[in-house]
């Protein structure tokens, strides 16, 4: 059975919507999505953001035959022209792949398919099958040149680890262009905060405890940033007492097993934060901390370890939990 859970719990910051407030809820990109905004023009802004989400969903869907992603995957390795958004998303994904030495890899599709995560046919594949699929996974063989994309003939892409982050960036841009004072977008584990919350001040976003859907780890004070969580509890199946989840380590073709159960990234760009959260979960605690340090602290993160620790960087997050031993990582 596939277990889906909302990663981030939005604290109810003004549920009773006032005159200038507007909100929308919909199912898109395989998850429950909400948009709320306040200020002049909020209703039109929310509607425009909703339309933008549905437009991008149509481009990035892996199951819709006419989508850019399906056209890329159906191509035999010949160059193909895609939309500006798909090209921008692939460029953002490629950048993170390079930075993380392939811990994030948009060409991971053959492995995710092999483990049965697309069609609810989860199973543990044989080592020989994993080896065969692994040979098709390599982001360096996906070539981008403007709006032209070329993949290896045997390759397929999966934007599941980055598309929601990209969509939140575009939706935030649409909301800002419509002149709202503040907005909060939630696409499953992807939250994007724009401007101020109703009444002023930063938005307050609760980060879900990976072990308890109804509890939070703490609060992020968020203003003009994305807060994205990747967790091993979001989608998984069990066989003979072993749990297998949906984030695959492209180094060995198996569910990531580096000691982290959840990674939250706080950053300026949703697409990058989304891809990074997935990558850091694959990399594990030590490599994630080294990566954060080497990148000049260009983002903040929260790591939850298998052995009950919560490690975090920066000043935006304040822990509120007694379920974990927490420690702040500095310099
Ligand atoms: P997220 O929820 O953002 O962590 O993304 C998870 C989704 O990304 C999975 O359901 C897969 O579709 C895809 N995925 C799994 N492993 C990887 C990986 N190592 N690199 C890129 N995408 C991945
Ligand atoms: Mg991600």
């Amino acid at each position: 059975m596939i277990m889906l859970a909302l990663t981030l719990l939005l604290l109810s910051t003004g549920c009773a919507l006032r005159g200038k407030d507007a909100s929308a809820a919909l199912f898109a990109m395989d998850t429950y999505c909400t948009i709320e905004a306040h200020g002049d023009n909020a209703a039109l802004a929310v509607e425009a953001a909703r339309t933008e989400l549905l437009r991008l969903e149509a481009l990035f869907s892996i199951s819709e035959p006419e989508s850019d992603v399906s056209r890329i995957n159906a191509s035999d390795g010949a160059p193909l022209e895609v939309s500006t958004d798909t090209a921008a998303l692939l460029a953002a994904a490629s950048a993170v792949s390079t930075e993380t030495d392939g811990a994030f890899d948009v060409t991971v599709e053959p492995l995710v398919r092999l483990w049965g995560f697309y069609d609810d046919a989860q199973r543990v594949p044989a080592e020989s099958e994993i080896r065969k699929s692994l040979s098709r996974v390599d982001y360096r063989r996906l070539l981008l040149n403007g709006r032209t994309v070329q993949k290896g003939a045997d390759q397929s892409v999966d934007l599941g680890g980055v598309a929601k982050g990209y969509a939140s960036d575009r939706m935030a841009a649409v909301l800002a262009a419509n002149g709202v004072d503040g907005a909060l977008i939630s696409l499953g584990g992807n939250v994007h905060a724009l401007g101020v919350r109703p009444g002023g001040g930063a938005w307050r976003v609760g980060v879900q405890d990976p072990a308890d859907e109804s509890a939070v780890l703490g609060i992020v004070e968020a203003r003009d940033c994305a807060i994205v969580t990747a967790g091993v509890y979001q989608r998984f199946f069990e066989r003979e007492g072993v749990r297998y989840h949906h984030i695959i380590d492209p180094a060995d073709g198996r569910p990531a097993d580096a000691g982290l159960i959840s990674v939250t990234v706080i950053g300026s760009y949703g697409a990058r934060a989304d891809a990074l959260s997935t990558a850091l979960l694959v990399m594990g605690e030590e490599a994630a901390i080294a990566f954060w340090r080497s990148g000049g602290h260009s983002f903040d993160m929260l790591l939850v370890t298998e052995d009950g620790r919560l490690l975090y960087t920066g000043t935006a997050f304040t822990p509120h939990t007694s379920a974990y031993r927490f420690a702040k990582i500095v310099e």
Side-chain angles (χ1 to χ4, degrees):
M1 188 174 67
I2 292 186
M3 299 291 291
L4 280 173
L6 287 183
T7 317
L8 291 164
L9 214 69
L10 298 179
L11 293 190
S12 42
T13 43
C15 287
L17 295 177
R18 297 189 313 264
K20 281 159 101 190
D21 296 351
S23 65
L26 68 155
F27 194 83
M29 291 197 173
D30 215 17
T31 196
Y32 177 69
C33 306
T34 59
I35 310 163
E36 61 174 282
H38 63 100
D40 292 335
N41 213 25
L44 274 176
V46 165
E47 183 49 31
R50 200 182 74 87
T51 304
E52 180 69 352
L53 173 59
L54 295 173
R55 184 182 74 82
L56 294 172
E57 179 185 38
L59 291 177
F60 304 151
S61 163
I62 203 156
S63 51
E64 194 53 56
E66 297 302 313
S67 75
D68 270 3
V69 168
S70 297
R71 289 197 302 118
I72 293 171
N73 289 349
S75 81
D76 56 3
L80 185 85
E81 186 137 323
V82 295
S83 67
T84 328
D85 287 291
T86 304
L89 172 55
L90 287 171
S94 284
V96 174
S97 299
T98 306
E99 270 185 283
T100 62
D101 217 2
F104 185 86
D105 193 325
V106 271
T107 66
V108 76
E109 194 268 3
L111 289 165
V112 179
R113 186 170 298 285
L114 182 65
W115 286 87
F117 281 107
Y118 296 124
D119 37 16
D120 213 0
Q122 290 92 337
R123 67 187 185 91
V124 181
E127 192 54 48
S128 57
E129 294 176 289
I130 293 179
R131 240 181 289 125
K132 213 165 135 199
S133 294
L134 265 175
S135 70
R136 300 168 53 198
V137 176
D138 183 356
Y139 65 95
R140 288 163 299 196
R141 289 205 278 131
L142 182 76
L143 308 177
L144 302 171
N145 183 3
R147 284 171 51 197
T148 304
V149 181
Q150 187 173 16
K151 68 167 182 68
D154 60 342
Q155 291 194 295
S156 285
V157 301
D158 168 3
L159 305 181
V162 63
K164 292 195 292 288
Y166 182 84
S168 81
D169 286 332
R170 296 307 316 148
M171 292 164 74
V174 165
L175 288 157
N178 276 277
V180 299
D181 297 331
L184 196 66
I185 301 161
S186 169
L187 315 175
N190 290 63
V191 170
H192 205 112
L194 179 73
V196 293
R197 71 170 190 265
W203 289 95
R204 308 184 75 226
V205 178
V207 181
Q208 191 185 301
D209 181 342
D212 178 357
E213 225 181 286
S214 64
V216 293
L217 296 172
I219 305 292
V220 176
E221 293 265 335
R223 196 168 174 154
D224 297 322
C225 67
I227 304 145
V228 185
T229 299
V232 303
Y233 57 94
Q234 286 169 332
R235 199 172 276 218
F236 64 84
F237 67 97
E238 279 173 348
R239 288 290 179 281
E240 294 167 13
V242 181
R243 195 180 267 207
Y244 300 94
H245 63 83
H246 71 309
I247 296 176
I248 308 292
D249 184 347
D252 66 5
R254 299 175 167 280
D257 185 20
L260 296 177
I261 53 177
S262 139
V263 174
T264 301
V265 170
I266 306 166
S268 311
Y269 300 103
R272 179 172 152 80
D274 194 354
L276 274 182
S277 64
T278 308
L280 299 180
L281 193 124
V282 169
M283 288 158 71
E285 173 181 340
E286 257 177 62
I289 294 172
F291 181 83
W292 175 75
R293 289 194 169 125
S294 71
H297 312 174
S298 62
F299 62 94
D300 277 307
M301 63 183 185
L302 271 72
L303 311 176
V304 181
T305 68
E306 244 163 33
D307 60 7
R309 288 172 300 125
L310 166 59
L311 310 167
Y312 66 99
T313 66
T315 53
F317 176 73
T318 308
H320 286 292
T321 173
S322 53
Y324 298 86
R325 284 171 286 140
F326 47 83
K328 184 166 174 168
I329 305 162
V330 286
E331 296 313 303

